[in-house]
Every structure is written in structure tokens, then in C-alpha cells.
């Protein structure tokens, strides 16, 4: 998957179209990402010993990776990602400029 944790992405389709945020989590098998501040849902929690009254909590739900695109702060546009092998390591590059994309955890 080309999107990694810590990347800044922009939502390109759906209810939250046009919003940007940082990727919190990536689901490799499900091809979904959780973006901070995007796709907020209400989760009803049952009462437990830690929380005797229960609660309704708002949290981010995953969205499919095809609905987001990597966002470049300098140009303020979405970019496409390619790969290059430099010094025996595979690195992500901006397809338009050819520059290496920094950031994101493996």
C-alpha cells in the first residue's frame, strides 16, 4: 500500500470530500485507513467496571484507501506516488516531480 501512517492525505470522494488529515492507522489486509478528523461515527459503549454508566463516544471509522490521495503541503495539491530503487532501497517518489517523498512509518 502506498499510504503510510503519518502521511497527510486528502479525501477525494464521499461525504468528507475535500478534507485533509493525517493517517492514524493503516489496515493492510482490508485496504482501509483511519484519518484524523474524517468519517466520525458515534460508538455506543456498554457499561463496565471502568465505565459504570456506559457512554456514547465519537471516533474515526476507517475509509477505503482508494478514497484518499496523498497531499502535498507545498503545492497544496494531491499527488500520485511511484517507487524507485536507490542504493538498494525502495523509496516513494512523486510521479510529477520525481522527488523522494519523506515521512510515513513503515
Amino acid at each position: 500500500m502506498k499510504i503510510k501512517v503519518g502521511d497527510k492525505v486528502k479525501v477525494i470522494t464521499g461525504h468528507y470530500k475535500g478534507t485533509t488529515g493525517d493517517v492514524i492507522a493503516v489496515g493492510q489486509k482490508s485496504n482501509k485507513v483511519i484519518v484524523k478528523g474524517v468519517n466520525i461515527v458515534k460508538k455506543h459503549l456498554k457499561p463496565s467496571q471502568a465505565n459504570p454508566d456506559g457512554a456514547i463516544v465519537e471516533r474515526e471509522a476507517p475509509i477505503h484507501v482508494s478514497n484518499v490521495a496523498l497531499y502535498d503541503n507545498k503545492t497544496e495539491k494531491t499527488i500520485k506516488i511511484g517507487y524507485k530503487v536507490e542504493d538498494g532501497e525502495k523509496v516513494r517518489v512523486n510521479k510529477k516531480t520525481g522527488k523522494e517523498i519523506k515521512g510515513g512509518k513503515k
Side-chain angles (χ1 to χ4, degrees):
M1 189 180 306
K2 296 180 179 184
I3 306 289
K4 298 180 186 281
V5 173
D7 285 342
K8 186 143 187 120
V9 294
K10 183 175 186 177
V11 180
I12 54 175
T13 60
H15 181 72
Y16 288 90
K17 180 178 180 177
T19 57
T20 59
D22 294 322
V23 175
I24 299 170
V26 174
Q28 291 288 341
K29 290 184 180 178
S30 62
N31 285 331
K32 294 191 177 196
V33 293
I34 297 176
V35 182
K36 188 173 180 92
V38 174
N39 201 16
I40 303 293
V41 295
K42 291 190 178 194
K43 173 80 173 162
H44 296 257
L45 300 177
K46 288 176 79 171
S48 63
Q49 285 185 340
N51 191 5
D53 293 332
I56 299 173
V57 179
E58 289 188 349
R59 60 189 242 188
E60 293 93 358
I63 61 174
H64 199 269
V65 72
S66 66
N67 295 335
V68 297
L70 197 65
Y71 185 74
D72 187 16
N73 285 330
K74 292 178 186 173
T75 60
E76 296 182 351
K77 291 184 179 180
T78 58
I79 58 173
K80 291 189 177 184
I81 306 165
Y83 288 102
K84 262 188 194 172
V85 177
E86 292 180 1
D87 301 326
E89 278 199 35
K90 188 175 170 183
V91 294
R92 299 184 301 165
V93 294
N94 183 338
K95 280 191 172 184
K96 198 170 202 175
T97 62
K99 292 183 180 178
E100 184 178 337
I101 299 171
K102 305 279 186 192
K105 300 174 187 172
K106 282 195 172 183

